């Protein structure tokens, strides 16, 4: 593809209010964690998919998400050394690099993304949602920490629906195992009213998040629904769902995006605002974190914008109507867990991608297959072909990894991306 | 004419390599009944049996089949089993199956259930979610529901309705099979020269395709013939436990290589469905409840089964003790997350007891064994030297 087709230099940008706000929220959270031994605040390590943040917050427990720490390590350029250390300690080169990055970080002093030491967990909440590796990850951590661990087994939606038996199973585990364990750690009784308040706040934030994600249906899209949206889902996927800060964050974000929409502005990219939207893409799979900005730039320079993505649904699938329902606190949490993207069967995933392609008027589907993650990657090629045959639109495939820089080949990705975009351009030309 | 030992082993070898499932086709022709496949590592075959269905264990295609189309379905960093399974589906080898059950072993098998369904939409394709909560009132209730649901679907597809009496009878038949399997595993521990693993492996593996009654007969005959063979004498070999090969199976050549390199495999993880339940399943009372309880409370330790009490690796140490092994071979399929993520914990437990180990990886179609032969040979030699010292 010739240079002349690239987007012109991107307009400069200032940091959005929502970004500043998010930074502050994260900094304050990690500072609280760093002070936990003095303040006596207790924390719970858990996972992004199926995180029960409202429940933890209702006990005043602080969530710690090892996946977020791993991706932050990737972005800060620390993951290579952490992974190397874990491999030196006997972890296979074949397995999920999030786990190795976390183990390496732990063995290097457990210093978190803000440069402060993270406290050891008071409880490991193994929300076993959509990923087999979670189980092994916390079995490994259990060897390192003298703290209790609770397994919350979340059944897979193999038939594309939640049955009564599945709901009853998860709810029973929350009621009979998890809540007593949290009472023990927090030293206080379960307070359902408090939980309901948190859940009501979650629903509010979810409403605004969905509005923001769906703003990408406009032309030009005011957001990038993959690279950009990983920031947007940050608070709701991590420690903040159900908090007043999250409600405020999503309200502010919505106002900002509304403003961009009114002004018909494109998304903000690492080099500023995208001036011309040339390609609208749906993206399946997680991004790469070690070269995140470089990766994003490859798309931005081509005028390629993600209008919808599945990765931004791993911590909760809200855009087809699910909201936390404070009137059914335990059931709603169970349904939330079961509804996370990687807990959905492949036909449902294909249905979602096809819908995104149509509703967001996308030019093509691009899969970023990450070596680490069987939960995402196994079956992606079959999904790709199925979406192609259902929509008749071009599909593309690139490979990388989450936090292992050894598996990020910029030239390879760039080549594949360019041929994919060329394919779209040709198709358009042919249709004209 | 009664079958000789070489003839029996030959028959078992053919059955274990029969990825075209000709024995299953013949059985179906004879009986007109349903045959349903299942993926590793465990399904309660008693339920199928009680519904008049032949359960057929699928473990890929080994090293006998060139993968042509299957590779287009899976990236290079995913284990081999799903690509050979898809290849078998696409080349018609599995056409005789009326359905496939995909147990919740790992994300690859979980997602394979979805690929399968997209590829073969008219066939029964069932995901069997097994509980990781082992409380009867929670995981037990859920699991029972899963089994009832599968039984209902099998019935809708032409299998018999699941009845308590038939299930009790099936449990008895499988208890007998498990008893024989346990007996053979014990005999091998005591005298591995009488029951070499390369031989026992194919005899056990034949149980994936044979009706259980026929397999039990084969086990009995093998036991008697192998024990009676006076030619089989002990050699100076290192006793090892082999672990990690519970799903995708290594090629037979690899097992033979390990034995030729000086190892007596006295315990292993191969074809775990045959001995997943440690003891007999109770035949009194509600048979489905008994199967559920056996799964919850009497399953073997496995990397795919949750262990939350920090005792990971202890069962492996116990197996080493019970089999009087002198070392452990970690022998896992490449890119097998459950096996490979488990290894550091198991290795730490062995290190705690100063039990030597070595590790290598394979794929079901690995064709070159010289590196593994070197490694296993050196390991066996070092164990022998150590024990002599
Ligand atoms: S396998 Fe995938 S979902 Fe699981 S921990 Fe690794 S990256 Fe996350
Ligand atoms: S070999 Fe391992 S990763 Fe592959 S399907 Fe089997 S258990 Fe899963």
């Amino acid at each position: 593809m010739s240079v002349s087709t690239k987007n012109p230099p991107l307009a400069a940008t200032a940091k959005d209010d929502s970004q500043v706000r998010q930074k502050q929220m994260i900094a304050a959270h990690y500072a609280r964690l760093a002070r936990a031994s003095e303040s006596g605040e207790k924390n719970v390590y858990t996972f992004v998919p199926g995180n029960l943040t409202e429940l933890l917050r209702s006990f005043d427990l602080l969530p710690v998400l090892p996946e977020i720490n791993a991706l932050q390590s990737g972005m800060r350029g620390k993951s290579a050394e952490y992974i190397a250390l874990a491999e030196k300690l006997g972890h296979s080169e074949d397995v999920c690099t999030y786990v190795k990055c976390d183990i390496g970080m732990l063995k290097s002093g457990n210093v978190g993304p803000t440069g402060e030491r993270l406290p050891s967990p008071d409880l490991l909440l193994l929300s076993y949602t959509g990923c087999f590796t979670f189980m092994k990850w916390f079995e490994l951590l259990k060897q390192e920490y003298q703290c209790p661990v609770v397994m919350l087994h979340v059944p897979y939606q193999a038939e594309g629906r939640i049955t009564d038996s599945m709901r009853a199973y998860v709810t029973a585990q929350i009621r009979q195992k998890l809540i007593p364990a949290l009472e023990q750690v927090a030293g206080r009784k379960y307070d359902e009213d408090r939980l309901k308040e948190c859940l009501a706040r979650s629903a509010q934030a979810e409403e605004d998040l969905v509005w923001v994600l769906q703003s990408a249906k406009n032309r030009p899209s005011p957001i990038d629904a993959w690279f950009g949206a990983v920031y947007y889902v940050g608070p709701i996927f991590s420690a903040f769902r159900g908090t007043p800060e999250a409600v405020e964050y999503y309200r502010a974000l919505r106002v900002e995006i509304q403003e961009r929409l009114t002004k018909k502005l494109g998304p903000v990219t690492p080099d500023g605002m995208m001036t011309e939207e040339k390609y609208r893409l749906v993206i399946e799979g997680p991004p790469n974190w070690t070269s995140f900005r470089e990766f994003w730039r490859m798309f931005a320079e081509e005028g390629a914008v993600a209008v919808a993505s599945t990765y931004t649904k791993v911590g909760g699938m809200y855009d087809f109507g699910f909201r936390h329902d404070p009137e059914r606190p335990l059931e709603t949490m169970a349904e939330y867990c079961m509804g996370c993207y990687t807990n959905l069967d492949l036909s449902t995933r294909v249905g979602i991608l096809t819908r995104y392609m149509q509703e967001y008027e996308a030019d093509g589907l691009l899969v970023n297959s990450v070596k680490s993650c069987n939960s995402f990657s196994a079956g992606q090629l079959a999904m790709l072909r199925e979406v192609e045959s259902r929509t008749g639109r071009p599909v593309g495939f690139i490979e990388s990894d989450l936090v292992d820089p050894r598996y990020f080949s910029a030239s390879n990705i760039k080549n594949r991306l360019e041929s994919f975009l060329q394919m779209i351009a040709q198709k358009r030309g042919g249709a004209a | 004419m009664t079958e000789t030992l070489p003839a029996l082993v030959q028959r078992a070898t053919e059955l274990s390599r029969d990825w075209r499932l000709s024995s299953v086709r013949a059985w179906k022709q004879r009986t007109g009944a349903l045959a349903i496949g299942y993926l590793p590592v465990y399904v309660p075959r008693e339920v199928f049996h009680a519904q008049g269905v032949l359960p057929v264990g699928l473990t890929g295609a080994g090293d006998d089949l060139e993968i042509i189309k299957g590779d287009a379905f899976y990236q290079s960093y995913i284990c081999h089993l799903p690509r050979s399974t898809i290849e078998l589906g696409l080349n018609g080898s599995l056409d005789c199956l009326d359905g496939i059950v995909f147990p919740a072993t790992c994300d690859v098998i979980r997602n394979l259930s979805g690929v399968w369904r997209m590829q073969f939409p008219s066939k029964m394709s069932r995901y069997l979610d097994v509980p990781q909560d082992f409380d009867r009132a929670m995981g037990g209730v859920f699991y029972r529901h899963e089994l009832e649901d599968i039984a209902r679907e099998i019935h809708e597809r032409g299998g018999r309705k699941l009845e308590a009496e038939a299930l009790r009878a099936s449990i008895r038949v499988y208890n007998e099979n498990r008893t024989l399997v346990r007996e053979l595993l014990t005999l091998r521990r005591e005298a591995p020269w009488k029951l070499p693993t390369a031989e026992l492996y194919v005899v056990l593996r034949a149980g994936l395709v044979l009706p259980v009654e026929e397999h039990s007969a084969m086990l009995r005959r093998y036991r008697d013939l192998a024990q009676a063979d006076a030619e089989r004498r002990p050699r100076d070999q290192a006793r090892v436990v082999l672990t990690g090969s519970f799903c995708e199976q290594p090629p037979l050549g690899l097992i033979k290589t390990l034995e030729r390199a000086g190892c007596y495999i006295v315990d292993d993880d191969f074809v775990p469905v045959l001995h997943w339940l440690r003891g007999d399943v109770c035949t009194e009372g509600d048979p489905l409840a008994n199967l559920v309880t056996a799964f919850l409370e009497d399953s073997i330790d496995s990397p795919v089964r949750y262990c939350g009490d920090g005792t990971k690796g202890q069962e492996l140490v116990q197996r080493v003790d019970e089999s009087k092994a002198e070392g452990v071979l970690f022998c896992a399929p490449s890119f097998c997350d459950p096996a490979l993520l488990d290894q550091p914990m198991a290795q730490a437990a062995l290190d705690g007891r100063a039990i030597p180990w070595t590790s290598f990886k394979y794929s079901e179609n690995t064709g070159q064994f010289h590196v593994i032969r070197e490694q296993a040979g050196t390991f066996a030699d070092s164990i022998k030297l150590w024990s002599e010292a």
Side-chain angles (χ1 to χ4, degrees), chain A residues 30-43:
Chain A
Y30 279 102
R32 246 173 110 177
L33 286 169
R35 285 196 314 270
S37 57
E38 298 107 71
S39 67
E41 285 193 292
K42 299 282 174 44
N43 76 84

Side-chain angles (χ1 to χ4, degrees), chain A residues 41-60:
Chain A
E41 285 193 292
K42 299 282 174 44
N43 76 84
V44 176
Y45 283 25
T46 192
F47 294 109
V48 170
N51 72 77
L52 297 179
T53 303
E54 300 87 352
L55 185 61
L56 303 184
R57 291 284 186 176
S58 77
F59 280 99
D60 284 331

Side-chain angles (χ1 to χ4, degrees), chain B residues 224-264:
Chain B
D224 297 343
L225 289 170
Q227 278 188 296
D229 188 343
E231 301 291 298
R232 300 184 167 198
R233 300 258 166 74
R235 270 176 295 152
D236 184 22
Q237 306 240 105
R239 297 173 63 91
V240 297
V241 171
L242 183 148
T243 186
S245 311
F246 49 86
C247 180
E248 180 176 319
Q249 298 293 285
L252 188 57
L254 191 149
I255 301 173
K256 287 183 177 162
T257 298
L258 296 175
E259 294 191 308
R260 284 188 199 130
C263 297
Y264 274 142

Side-chain angles (χ1 to χ4, degrees), chain B residues 13-89:
Chain B
T13 307
E14 279 161 17
L15 285 167
S16 73
R17 299 187 98 123
D18 181 19
W19 46 263
R20 288 190 190 84
L21 301 181
S22 30
S23 70
V24 176
R25 282 167 213 270
W27 180 88
K28 281 192 70 169
Q29 228 159 28
R30 247 182 5 252
T31 62
L34 302 184
I36 293 184
Y38 62 88
L39 271 288
V41 286
Y42 171 78
V43 299
R45 294 167 297 159
E46 293 85 342
V47 173
F48 298 50
H49 185 268
Q51 296 188 273
V53 172
L54 178 68
V56 179
L58 303 174
T59 49
D63 52 354
D64 289 325
L65 177 69
E66 193 190 347
I67 305 299
I68 300 159
K69 295 180 182 152
D71 280 339
F73 282 76
Y74 287 97
Q75 299 89 318
S76 55
Y77 43 78
I78 291 173
C79 63
H80 206 265
L81 179 93
R83 63 193 82 223
S84 58
T85 306
I86 286 287
E87 187 81 26
L88 292 173

Side-chain angles (χ1 to χ4, degrees), chain A residues 67 96 98-99 130-131 133-134 137 372-375 402, chain B residues 107 337:
Chain A
E67 297 143 287
C96 172
Y98 267 5
V99 180
C131 164
T133 299
F134 288 158
W137 194 338
S372 273
C373 186
N374 284 342
S375 179
L402 298 159
Chain B
D107 290 338
D337 275 3

Side-chain angles (χ1 to χ4, degrees), chain A residues 94 126 130 132 136 139 149 151 153 155-156 158-159 165 169 177 342 346 349 369 374-375 377-378 385 399, chain B residues 72-73 75 77 105 107-108 110-111 117 127 129-130 132-133 139 142 145 303 306-308 312 335 338 342 361:
Chain A
D94 288 359
L126 202 182
F132 179 86
K136 308 314 292 178
E139 282 177 352
V149 47
M151 153 63 87
H153 176 206
Y156 182 58
E159 303 293 318
S165 156
Y169 177 39
K177 280 180 21 185
T342 44
L346 264 50
R349 294 187 199 184
S369 176
N374 284 342
S375 179
S377 305
R385 281 195 289 273
E399 290 177 291
Chain B
F73 282 76
Q75 299 89 318
Y77 43 78
T105 298
D107 290 338
V108 173
R110 185 196 71 175
N111 288 7
R117 189 170 284 195
Y127 182 68
D129 216 341
V130 296
Q132 296 291 355
D133 172 286
F142 171 73
H145 204 275
Y306 174 57
C307 169
K312 266 276 158 196
F335 304 108
D342 212 66
K361 292 182 289 188

